[in-house]
Amino acid sequence: MAAELCIIRENQVKGNPKKLRPGRANCARTAQSKQEKESLMCGIVGFVGARENAAEILQAMMDRIAHRGPDGQGQFLEGPVALGQRRLSIIDLEGGRQPMYNEDGSLVVVFNGEIYNFQTLREELQAAGHTFATRSDTEVLLHGYEQWGKAMLDKLRGMFTFAIWDRHAQTLFCARDHFGIKPLYYYQNDAGELLFGSEIKSFLDHPGFKKELNEDQLSLYLSYQFSPGEDTFFRGVKKLLPAHWMEWKDGALTVQRYWTPRFTPDDGPTLQEWEQAISDAMQESVAAHKIADVEVGSFLSSGVDSSYMAALAHVDKTFTVGFANKQYDETDYAREFSAHIGVKNTAYRITPEEYWENLGRIQYHMDEPLADAASVALYFVNREAAKQVKVCLSGEGADEFFGGYNIYKEPFTVSWYDRLPLWLRRALGAAAGLLPPVPGVNFLVRRGRPLAERYIGNTNLMGERRKKQLLKNYTGRVLPTDLSRPYFEATRGQDPVTQMETCDLNLWMVGDILLKADKMSMANSLELRVPFLDREVFELACRIPTKCKVNAQQTKIAMRGAAEMTIPPKTADKKKLGFPVPVRAWLREEKYAAILREAFGSEAAQKFFNTGALNKMLDEHVSGKRDNWRQLWCVFIFLVWYDEYFVKR
């Protein structure tokens, strides 16, 4: 777990650049000694509901997620409650072992994550009369809950999920961090038993869990390429959403949001002042995230986020994956940049054979289908990093905080078209929607509707017309815009980029970016830390005006300027590529197209899809007539996932 940072929150007074910057003058300590606390990432599981063989059930649930914590485990069983934790040690001290109790044993906690400001909170709690038996941040959660109750969550800075059982009140309290870096799922059956855990798969080992497919989620998935919102593909299983807590008492479950991220642009400071403020904030955050009693590495692609991260952190090693096809390979760049900053780079080229062979394993670890082709590459970079280090830094969150996606340029391009009457744009868009999807046609379809009607996130794979053609049981009960609409309503009157960022922060980042980051790192028993996704960084980023984030030519304007203080301009200004993966090209080879044909002929495919339409799309792609690879891949990955959870198990 990372150290406390002495950070002065930036003043809200407009136009005072000196008040923008995190203070350092009075920081007597930016990192505590490694002897002061234990650091661990892990998985937690548990249930409320008396069972004669509760210990055996709990152990089976813990064993199911042993990959999250191969270094140890802990259990608490008493009356109706069972709590379990699997442990991945970063600093191995006895004082931080879990489950952990407060002084009188009335509270017990299992915890996954890091609380960066635990030192400050510890001192505050000691001043209030609390006695600590350890130097761990886990114990801060116990005493913080005693002192402040649910209000403790407003004080925490970190990434976390935890469960606290109050033995006197017979109450279970769980919470998830502000941005959803760490996952938590829950399920309540008809008998009133409550199950919770870091991964859904742990529920498979509880006799009170009824495994059923939630087919309503399939239609949403075909648009989003991930499972959005609080519902999951398992009927009755829900995600505890970011910045939410839940409380169980007497069989009743209450779920509530405790914090909401809001962008509040401040036009006072200059671009240069924002750049300096970002530089200061990121140096502080990266320092916090690097504290560990083990080597710390960093993922490195050719983009500015990971390059900036690696350079700021002075990591021990960088890790990169690529492909034999140069068009999809970033290993040469990573090797060159690592040499520039004086760090050893480990590069691994993924073969097509191992990419395809590991799809089932990867979807099993995801818990729910994720059709982001880059997630497979992420599995391999985590696998290679885990052979050498236990901790890696990664750049998740930079795009949502600082305006990094290319689609954010759209409000500044062909702006004259948006000044046409809406009725005319709607008519042109409706007509274009009847044509084959190509770039010009896609533009007319997209811009034929207001932003709130067309934007559901960074990816929008399929519209309702396409889904009606493909799905045998299309109902349209829940539309993608039903999930995105609340974020547009909450940002009504703000500029389009701010609205898109808010939508992405709540849907895309949680459902795709952070899902694959957590699941692929934990699948390989690797702790992943994300310094951009820090409350103090967001306190700054949320006030940067759009003009300092995006224009028609560039994204992440202020952040790139901050990065140029540390890395070469050619790297800081590099165009965003995402994580290039050659699936499009592979699917034009019969060898790989045949894998999809076989899947589309399966019993599962015939149950859910009009397979004739799928095969037609595949034929169009193979021939080069259409570029359908993303839609095809989305369907195929669902079938791979379904096979793992509903055919094999």
Side-chain angles (χ1 to χ4, degrees), residues 523-574:
N524 291 284
S525 305
L526 182 74
E527 175 180 324
L528 199 65
R529 299 179 179 178
V530 285
F532 281 111
L533 280 176
D534 178 80
R535 282 189 72 185
E536 296 293 339
V537 175
F538 183 75
E539 288 290 334
L540 175 66
C542 73
R543 297 190 294 116
I544 300 174
T546 295
K547 67 182 180 182
C548 294
K549 291 181 177 180
V550 192
N551 58 33
Q553 290 77 40
Q554 194 177 34
T555 59
K556 284 187 288 203
I557 297 169
M559 201 211 86
R560 292 179 192 275
E564 281 191 24
M565 300 178 188
T566 305
I567 61 178
K570 69 175 184 178
T571 302
D573 294 336
K574 198 170 186 297

Side-chain angles (χ1 to χ4, degrees), residues 220-266:
L220 291 170
Y221 162 80
L222 293 180
S223 290
Y224 279 97
Q225 84 173 13
F226 58 86
S227 174
E230 68 171 352
D231 290 326
T232 71
F233 268 93
F234 294 90
R235 190 174 303 280
V237 175
K238 293 186 179 295
K239 312 173 188 88
L240 185 63
L241 294 177
H244 279 67
W245 57 257
M246 70 177 187
E247 184 178 69
W248 181 96
K249 184 175 178 61
D250 297 328
L253 187 65
T254 303
V255 179
Q256 187 170 312
R257 184 160 204 156
Y258 64 84
W259 180 78
T260 301
R262 291 188 173 89
F263 290 94
T264 55
D266 179 353

Side-chain angles (χ1 to χ4, degrees), residues 75-93:
Q75 296 182 348
F76 171 81
L77 296 111
E78 182 180 83
V81 72
L83 306 178
Q85 185 230 32
R86 295 290 318 206
R87 163 184 173 154
L88 174 66
S89 297
I90 307 304
I91 300 173
D92 191 16
L93 296 183

